[in-house]
Amino acid sequence: TLIEAELPPRANVALLATNCADYAVVALGCWIAGCTVTLVNARYGSQEMRHLVAVARPTLAVVGSPNDEVDRRLWRQWTSAVAEVAGSVDELTTMGLAELASLRTRPVPGDVLADRLAGVRARDVAAVMFTSGTTALPKPCPIVHEALVRGAVASAGVRLRLGREDVLWDPLPMYHVSFLGLFVACGLAGVPFVSMEHFDAEAAFAQVLATRA
């Protein structure tokens, strides 16, 4: 979808959403398309959100949540921030998470996909995370593909020693570094990654039992 939308390589895609499977799909799709994904803290206030829009300068923003009420809140907050800094950023397209997930596109030709992947360099920026903004305005922290993969390899093979029978459970927010590294680690190790939209102790215990995490 991102390639068919003619999103150029190394374009910056802002992702503002709560935990869900589509969040991980969009992040992975950005990397396959040779783009950078900026993970937006869903708990930012209006000031932090405006600052992020002005600094990150994304080409595309994907915003949403499986929860309708939360979805509306995130959408209002993001579009308001974009409107307030409109004069200082380039053209920005905002798309709903559900809208992007529902699109059905033709398979990308193998040679086009191969060219995109071949164009990705180890030191290209894979993701940008911003600090919490607790003591000052959020600061961008770019993470290159090499650092992301090296960290994931160390987590999968050395620290956690993930095997084919394992299931990794991580309920932390997907805009957090915990998600980023462990999600890639699970992909490299070929093991399931399990999360939940919002942490609830009783539901978490039941999920761990059900998935044998």
Side-chain angles (χ1 to χ4, degrees):
T1 301
L2 297 173
I3 294 176
E4 282 203 341
E6 298 183 352
L7 203 64
R10 298 178 180 81
N12 187 8
V13 178
L15 178 54
L16 170 59
T18 54
N19 287 13
C20 60
D22 287 335
Y23 193 112
V25 170
V26 172
L28 185 59
C30 287
W31 296 330
I32 291 175
C35 299
T36 297
V37 59
T38 292
L39 307 182
V40 184
N41 189 329
R43 296 184 178 181
Y44 275 166
S46 57
Q47 182 182 19
E48 291 81 12
M49 201 74 78
R50 289 194 303 270
H51 175 72
L52 182 144
V53 173
V55 173
R57 306 175 70 86
T59 303
L60 171 69
V62 181
V63 181
S65 167
N67 182 306
D68 289 340
E69 182 178 347
V70 175
D71 181 89
R72 289 191 292 270
R73 176 181 63 80
L74 293 178
W75 188 267
R76 286 195 303 269
Q77 193 172 11
W78 177 262
T79 53
S80 175
V82 171
E84 290 185 40
V85 299
S88 61
V89 297
D90 299 327
E91 184 176 350
L92 167 61
T93 299
T94 298
M95 179 179 290
L97 183 67
E99 178 187 358
L100 181 64
S102 68
L103 292 178
R104 296 292 183 266
T105 58
R106 299 183 303 275
V108 177
D111 58 336
V112 175
L113 187 58
D115 287 344
R116 280 294 185 112
L117 293 174
V120 178
R121 300 289 181 259
R123 298 297 174 88
D124 284 348
V125 176
V128 178
M129 308 183 74
F130 278 71
T131 57
S132 65
T134 304
T135 58
L137 287 173
K139 299 175 180 62
C141 306
I143 304 173
V144 300
H145 286 281
E146 182 180 27
L148 183 58
V149 172
R150 284 182 181 272
V153 168
S155 293
V158 180
R159 300 187 188 99
L160 302 178
R161 299 181 181 178
L162 295 176
R164 292 288 180 177
E165 302 301 317
D166 291 321
V167 176
L168 192 145
W169 179 75
D170 178 10
L172 291 175
M174 289 185 172
Y175 56 75
H176 195 274
V177 68
S178 167
F179 158 73
L180 198 62
L182 293 178
F183 174 66
V184 176
C186 286
L188 293 174
V191 305
F193 178 94
V194 179
S195 188
M196 57 196 312
E197 185 178 0
H198 297 292
F199 180 78
D200 174 83
E202 185 175 346
F205 187 65
Q207 187 182 45
V208 169
L209 290 177
T211 59
R212 304 178 66 87

